[in-house]
Amino acid sequence: GAVVSQHPSWVICKSGTSVKIECRSLDFQATTMFWYRQFPKQSLMLMATSNEGSKATYEQGVEKDKFLINHASLTLSTLTVTSAHPEDSSFYICSVEGFTGETQYFGPGTRLLVL
Amino acid sequence: GNSVTQMEGPVTLSEEAFLTINCTYTATGYPSLFWYVQYPGEGLQLLLKATKADDKGSNKGFEATYRKETTSFHLEKGSVQVSDSAVYFCALRSSASYGKLTFGQGTILTVHP
């Protein structure tokens, strides 16, 4: 399976600042990556689908101007939480679609705490 | 639309007990089915999968059979260990959903010595 990393693993920021989270596919080129958020003791909610070289596709209810996604290369996608507020505190997880398109491989997640 | 329903947790078992976590789904087309596991403080890991009816996925002593007639994909293990304590997510991927995964709500499993 694919190896996916995320950076940082844990970030604390002040309300109103922006935070960038990186998702890297370490061992193969990924044309499609997904971004999820997970609230405590709840399931994963898909935020957006990130396609290399094109605009991300956001799920209904997700503000594209607040959660900026850039998939600039086949190994890197970034999620920027702009003007973060305490309600944005969550666990953000990215995944990479495998070569066959059948399986997703997940990063370890980034825990964001906005004070 | 697609949906996945898992049995309510949390589930608490003694070591070596038998485990069943129920999962049922609704989907358009012919979905692939997955079980993911999330250990404390970590991201999700693929545990097993099945891509067509009657397929059985298995890994690390866990098994699940794709039952189209009952739209189910129940997870089983004959003898759980303390190290199996984690959150288990059932998920589906249908061709109609452009690769997106739909997750169940997750089931917390705690195994005591």
Side-chain angles (χ1 to χ4, degrees), chain A residues 34 36 38 41-44 46 49 57 59 91 93 95 97 100-109 111, chain B residues 32-34 36 38 41-46 49-51 87 89 93 98-101 103-106 108:
Chain A
F34 300 89
Y36 297 83
Q38 183 183 28
K41 299 183 179 180
Q42 294 188 31
S43 189
L44 280 74
L46 179 65
T49 303
T57 303
E59 295 299 299
F91 194 49
I93 305 172
S95 71
E97 188 170 72
T100 63
E102 187 58 48
T103 302
Q104 288 183 28
Y105 299 93
F106 287 80
R111 192 165 299 282
Chain B
S32 294
L33 301 174
F34 305 84
Y36 282 87
Q38 184 177 32
E42 299 183 15
L44 273 72
Q45 301 175 25
L46 177 65
K49 68 178 183 180
T51 58
V87 184
F89 292 94
R93 176 187 182 278
Y98 305 102
K100 299 175 188 177
L101 282 173
F103 284 91
Q105 67 268 39
I108 300 172

Side-chain angles (χ1 to χ4, degrees), chain B:
Chain B
N2 298 335
S3 68
V4 177
T5 302
Q6 288 180 233
M7 67 182 287
E8 290 286 333
V11 174
T12 302
L13 296 173
S14 298
E15 205 164 26
E16 300 183 2
F18 184 84
L19 168 71
T20 300
I21 300 178
N22 290 337
C23 171
T24 57
Y25 67 90
T26 58
T28 54
Y30 301 94
S32 294
L33 301 174
F34 305 84
W35 276 99
Y36 282 87
V37 58
Q38 184 177 32
Y39 296 104
E42 299 183 15
L44 273 72
Q45 301 175 25
L46 177 65
L47 181 59
L48 53 85
K49 68 178 183 180
T51 58
K52 61 183 188 297
D54 300 325
D55 269 2
K56 177 186 283 187
S58 61
N59 185 28
K60 298 180 181 179
F62 291 89
E63 293 183 340
T65 301
Y66 189 140
R67 301 285 187 200
K68 189 169 184 286
E69 63 277 13
T70 55
T71 62
S72 65
F73 193 55
H74 305 321
L75 182 68
E76 296 182 337
K77 185 174 185 181
S79 177
V80 293
Q81 305 300 312
V82 173
S83 57
D84 293 326
S85 298
V87 184
Y88 292 81
F89 292 94
C90 185
L92 71 82
R93 176 187 182 278
S94 73
S95 56
S97 62
Y98 305 102
K100 299 175 188 177
L101 282 173
T102 301
F103 284 91
Q105 67 268 39
T107 301
I108 300 172
L109 170 66
T110 303
V111 180
H112 292 298

Side-chain angles (χ1 to χ4, degrees), chain A residues 29-47:
Chain A
Q29 297 177 330
T31 56
T32 302
M33 294 183 177
F34 300 89
W35 285 97
Y36 297 83
R37 67 184 296 181
Q38 183 183 28
F39 292 101
K41 299 183 179 180
Q42 294 188 31
S43 189
L44 280 74
M45 182 190 79
L46 179 65
M47 300 175 65

Side-chain angles (χ1 to χ4, degrees), chain A residues 1-13:
Chain A
V3 179
V4 182
S5 71
Q6 284 185 238
H7 178 80
S9 57
W10 174 237
V11 57
I12 302 174
C13 70

